[in-house]
Amino acid sequence: MIDFKEEIAKTICNITNNEKEEIKGYIEVPKDTKNGDFAFPCFSLAKTLKKAPPIIANELKDKLEYDSNVIEKVEVIGGYLNFFVNKNILIKEVLEKVSKDEKITVGEGKTVLIDYSAPNIAKPFHIGHLRTTVIGGALYNVYQKLGYKVVGINYLGDYGTQFGKLIEGYKRWGSEYDLSENPIDKLAEIYKKINDLAEEDEETLEACRENFKLLENGDEYCVKLWNEFKDLSLKEFQKIYDLLGSKFDSWDGEAAMATRTDEVIDILTKTGKLVESEGARVIDLSDKGISTPCIVCKSNGSTIYATRDLAAILYRSRTYDYDKSLYVTSYEQNLHFKQIFEVAKLLGIDEKYTKGLEHVSYGMVRLPSGKMSTRKGNFVKIKDLLNDTIEEAKKIIEAKNPDLEDKEEVAKRVGVGAVIFNNLVTSRVKDEIFDINSMLNFQGETGPYIQYTYVRTNSILQKAGNVTNINDLNVEVLSDEYSQNVIKLLGNFEDILVQVTNKEEPSILAKYLIDLAKAFSSFYNENKIIGEEKTIQDARVFLTYCVGKTLKEGAKLLGMQMPDKM
Ligand code: ARG
């Protein structure tokens, strides 16, 4: 097998004496086939060589030595060196790579932490948490596929003054509620009731504060209640995680970090930068371009969300030797992360660990009826949404294919797949429109469209009976435009995954799968597959097999499961 990027990098390095891996990293696959199969942007050398990129390109072109059986032609366009390679070797290489499932090693030796999902105990898992769960989960899978060591952290919101309130509410009215069914709804109700009361009545508020203090100090009764709330919540959350296939390596939440905030305050105090402001202790960040100071201690001495996140950074830097530490939350927390990432630089940890911090923020989820917010109380519960989508999927399947086996399971995969894909296909910074009907459209840019295309590849393979060994294929018959488009996309798969991790953007993969499914549909519409002359049928069946495999693998990385039939 020939690694073309490797070959091209070698020929360039023979002249420039650069590191081969560096040059290889710059080599691109041009969007337009007119610009060759691979391109080297000479901009990357302009600085060191102190020459204009087009001049570098021309000079390199004159000096390059290569095997003309492998690289057929080199052209200069602007600052680019464009390489045209032997198509048949290229096709074989792509098909072999896809069919052999080679291990990818770009991330080997590197560790990535992904802090995602992180719902709040005793509160419903709302649609915003769905987005972090799905985006974080997809990033998790892609990093892992690339060979990184990945640690998924579910930083549960299990701490804060609201638990003092909830305990007080439970003390007063707990016996009126049966928590064995829909516990979260009931806890949310209790919480709302006590919260409303505490807003008007100072004495109630004081009682809530007192409970929180008791909880902090390890009071047996309060801790027992808190544990119960947590268990009930986790059981509910797990139902959603089971549907979505979400997995976490750590469940260390805010409470686990609350015991570590003293050290943070200590370190910050010693820097001399922790100053009094209106009774609170804060770090002024105005010289860092952040006009709101980061509160570390409130005026009553208690810590806040930011303090615990700082303790978490300290803890994680000591526990995991990470290269990147990602936080997936909505853009509403932009300021929070800007602040704590800046303050983290004062914690005395290695620069590597502060440099690796990154907020992966995403837009709001809108139902056709408007914005979601727990605070406003018009939240939609994610379990209901998932179940509604599965029901809807079932109706569609029932209508399209009433004799299908295992309809329940297929409906689940299609419904959940639709929700996951809809979450991911929109660039994360943009708001997501959550419209069940459009996300289930089999012809749209949807999860079911990807699944449907996969199922089509499956039925072709079934008709064909078997897939020929790659060594016996005549790939020359795949030279038509439609086959070429498909092959080109297949060859891009690994690059796409790397792009996902460069931008922390799973939508790149989601859109790629749409492109691949569309390219396959054109290929299928233009080319007869079954019933063609044997060499042609074999090659086209093999290509179909590679498309199905890539669609399935890509969808799996996004968190979707493929039905075999639908
Ligand atoms: N529990 C928080 C929320 O629901 C999200 C936590 C995100 N992670 C973090 N390390 N702050 O808004």
Side-chain angles (χ1 to χ4, degrees):
M1 224 167 105
I2 295 182
D3 182 342
F4 283 100
K5 286 192 179 179
E6 177 91 11
E7 287 303 312
I8 292 169
K10 254 195 247 162
T11 58
I12 295 175
C13 292
N14 281 342
I15 305 169
T16 64
N17 291 325
N18 283 74
E19 284 290 330
K20 196 182 68 211
E21 283 309 308
E22 185 198 345
I23 296 295
K24 199 173 160 185
Y26 291 128
I27 297 173
E28 303 168 357
V29 176
K31 287 225 163 60
D32 190 339
T33 24
K34 281 205 292 285
N35 295 329
D37 304 300
F38 297 94
F40 176 67
C42 297
F43 308 91
S44 53
L45 298 177
K47 236 194 183 152
T48 40
L49 296 179
K50 298 201 176 61
K51 283 183 198 164
I55 297 180
I56 301 174
N58 276 301
E59 286 180 1
L60 282 177
K61 181 183 176 238
D62 291 341
K63 289 188 202 155
L64 282 181
E65 282 176 25
Y66 47 82
D67 177 352
S68 61
N69 288 322
V70 178
I71 296 172
E72 293 179 338
K73 190 171 68 170
V74 183
E75 275 180 2
V76 173
I77 299 184
Y80 285 89
L81 264 182
N82 295 343
F83 295 85
F84 295 78
V85 304
N86 182 309
K87 288 281 181 306
N88 292 336
I89 301 182
L90 181 65
I91 298 173
K92 265 232 157 96
E93 190 210 88
V94 169
L95 298 185
E96 195 168 344
K97 206 166 177 178
V98 175
S99 60
K100 279 210 176 131
D101 247 344
E102 261 182 71
K103 205 167 143 215
I104 310 178
T105 54
V106 270
E108 232 161 55
K110 288 189 221 132
T111 300
V112 182
L113 311 188
I114 310 181
D115 175 318
Y116 67 111
S117 195
N120 301 315
I121 295 301
K123 287 197 186 157
F125 193 106
H126 63 78
I127 201 163
H129 289 123
L130 173 72
R131 214 164 177 209
T132 149
T133 307
V134 170
I135 294 174
L139 289 174
Y140 188 110
N141 297 336
V142 172
Y143 272 104
Q144 201 167 48
K145 175 85 189 167
L146 290 177
Y148 289 83
K149 174 169 188 265
V150 193
V151 184
I153 304 176
N154 196 338
Y155 185 68
L156 293 174
D158 53 2
Y159 195 83
T161 45
Q162 73 268 27
F163 289 98
K165 288 184 182 160
L166 192 59
I167 291 171
E168 185 57 28
Y170 189 80
K171 277 183 185 167
R172 295 188 189 192
W173 314 296
S175 57
E176 296 164 28
Y177 291 87
D178 171 13
L179 291 184
S180 62
E181 238 176 88
N182 291 329
I184 302 203
D185 294 353
K186 288 167 190 162
L187 291 174
E189 221 176 288
I190 296 176
Y191 181 75
K192 188 172 180 320
K193 211 162 144 185
I194 190 81
N195 201 30
D196 289 348
L197 196 64
E199 258 170 35
E200 287 155 17
D201 178 34
E202 187 58 35
E203 235 169 79
T204 304
L205 187 63
E206 198 39 56
C208 296
R209 286 199 188 116
E210 191 50 39
N211 283 321
F212 181 59
K213 249 188 234 147
L214 286 171
L215 178 65
E216 270 193 304
N217 295 333
D219 172 79
E220 204 180 314
Y221 178 70
C222 289
V223 171
K224 185 175 144 267
L225 274 186
W226 175 82
N227 269 322
E228 264 172 46
F229 299 155
K230 191 164 155 174
D231 285 350
L232 289 169
S233 304
L234 287 181
K235 261 193 211 122
E236 282 295 300
F237 297 159
Q238 194 54 48
K239 292 181 192 158
I240 296 161
Y241 293 144
D242 285 345
L243 273 176
L244 296 173
S246 320
K247 300 221 163 48
F248 302 93
D249 305 295
S250 159
W251 295 80
D252 282 340
E254 285 190 58
M257 294 305 135
T259 55
R260 300 170 178 272
T261 50
D262 285 352
E263 189 185 356
V264 169
I265 296 166
D266 235 32
I267 297 173
L268 293 177
T269 307
K270 285 189 188 124
T271 65
K273 299 211 162 126
L274 196 57
V275 296
E276 292 271 331
S277 167
E278 297 165 31
R281 302 178 73 194
V282 308
I283 303 270
D284 181 85
L285 298 168
S286 50
D287 59 333
K288 309 284 179 217
I290 304 169
S291 55
T292 324
C294 181
I295 299 177
V296 177
C297 269
K298 288 200 286 192
S299 51
N300 64 3
S302 58
T303 61
I304 66 165
Y305 181 52
T307 332
R308 294 186 285 281
D309 250 333
L310 287 166
I313 293 175
L314 198 57
Y315 173 74
R316 291 173 191 179
S317 74
R318 289 171 181 167
T319 312
Y320 313 100
D321 180 23
Y322 64 77
D323 296 275
K324 273 190 187 184
S325 174
L326 310 177
Y327 294 79
V328 189
T329 82
S330 88
Y331 65 69
E332 287 179 312
Q333 298 197 29
N334 280 0
L335 174 64
H336 165 76
F337 285 105
K338 262 197 199 140
Q339 291 176 321
I340 62 160
F341 291 171
E342 207 44 61
V343 177
K345 293 180 188 161
L346 304 173
L347 292 177
I349 54 180
D350 195 299
E351 217 189 7
K352 172 182 175 188
Y353 301 124
T354 49
K355 278 209 174 125
L357 299 168
E358 197 178 326
H359 182 209
V360 178
S361 69
Y362 58 81
M364 290 291 147
V365 184
R366 289 168 201 281
L367 285 181
S369 58
K371 189 185 142 179
M372 308 265 74
S373 154
T374 23
R375 255 159 269 139
K376 291 196 188 112
N378 67 337
F379 55 80
V380 173
K381 275 169 286 153
I382 198 55
K383 207 175 72 199
D384 298 345
L385 267 185
L386 284 171
N387 286 331
D388 287 355
T389 317
I390 294 171
E391 273 315 304
E392 232 14 78
K394 207 154 100 198
K395 280 187 210 152
I396 298 174
I397 291 163
E398 198 73 61
K400 275 194 199 292
N401 193 353
D403 300 328
L404 186 72
E405 280 167 40
D406 227 359
K407 266 181 269 184
E408 294 287 327
E409 179 61 24
V410 175
K412 197 171 110 189
R413 291 184 181 192
V414 172
V416 173
V419 171
I420 291 179
F421 197 84
N422 190 63
N423 252 290
L424 295 174
V425 73
T426 324
S427 314
R428 63 177 164 79
V429 291
K430 288 199 195 146
D431 288 355
E432 179 202 350
I433 312 287
F434 198 101
D435 179 5
I436 292 187
N437 289 327
S438 66
M439 69 173 80
L440 278 171
N441 180 353
F442 281 32
Q443 310 307 336
E445 305 204 335
T446 62
Y449 172 62
I450 304 290
Q451 290 167 321
Y452 186 64
T453 311
Y454 169 74
V455 165
R456 263 166 75 189
T457 66
N458 248 356
S459 72
I460 294 167
L461 294 181
Q462 228 164 35
K463 276 192 203 127
N466 65 332
V467 180
T468 315
N469 187 303
I470 178 126
N471 299 319
D472 302 332
L473 280 190
N474 177 358
V475 295
E476 274 167 46
V477 301
L478 297 174
S479 62
D480 66 289
E481 182 192 342
Y482 303 99
S483 308
Q484 286 295 317
N485 282 341
V486 172
I487 293 164
K488 196 170 162 157
L489 283 164
L490 290 175
N492 280 351
F493 187 61
E494 189 176 320
D495 247 23
I496 291 289
L497 300 186
V498 171
Q499 284 177 40
V500 169
T501 59
N502 285 342
K503 298 191 175 145
E504 320 303 349
E505 185 63 88
S507 68
I508 296 172
L509 176 56
K511 288 182 182 129
Y512 165 86
L513 293 179
I514 293 285
D515 289 344
L516 181 59
K518 280 186 181 161
F520 177 74
S521 296
S522 306
F523 160 81
Y524 176 81
N525 290 337
E526 298 296 329
N527 291 320
K528 198 163 131 194
I529 301 179
I530 305 291
E532 268 289 355
E533 185 214 317
K534 184 163 173 9
T535 35
I536 300 181
Q537 168 166 327
D538 285 353
R540 289 181 180 164
V541 167
F542 198 90
L543 190 59
T544 303
Y545 162 73
C546 288
V547 169
K549 198 153 188 264
T550 305
L551 287 176
K552 186 172 184 175
E553 178 63 26
K556 187 174 125 200
L557 294 177
L558 296 181
M560 293 164 56
Q561 280 182 290
M562 290 295 198
D564 292 323
K565 290 187 180 155
M566 68 192 264

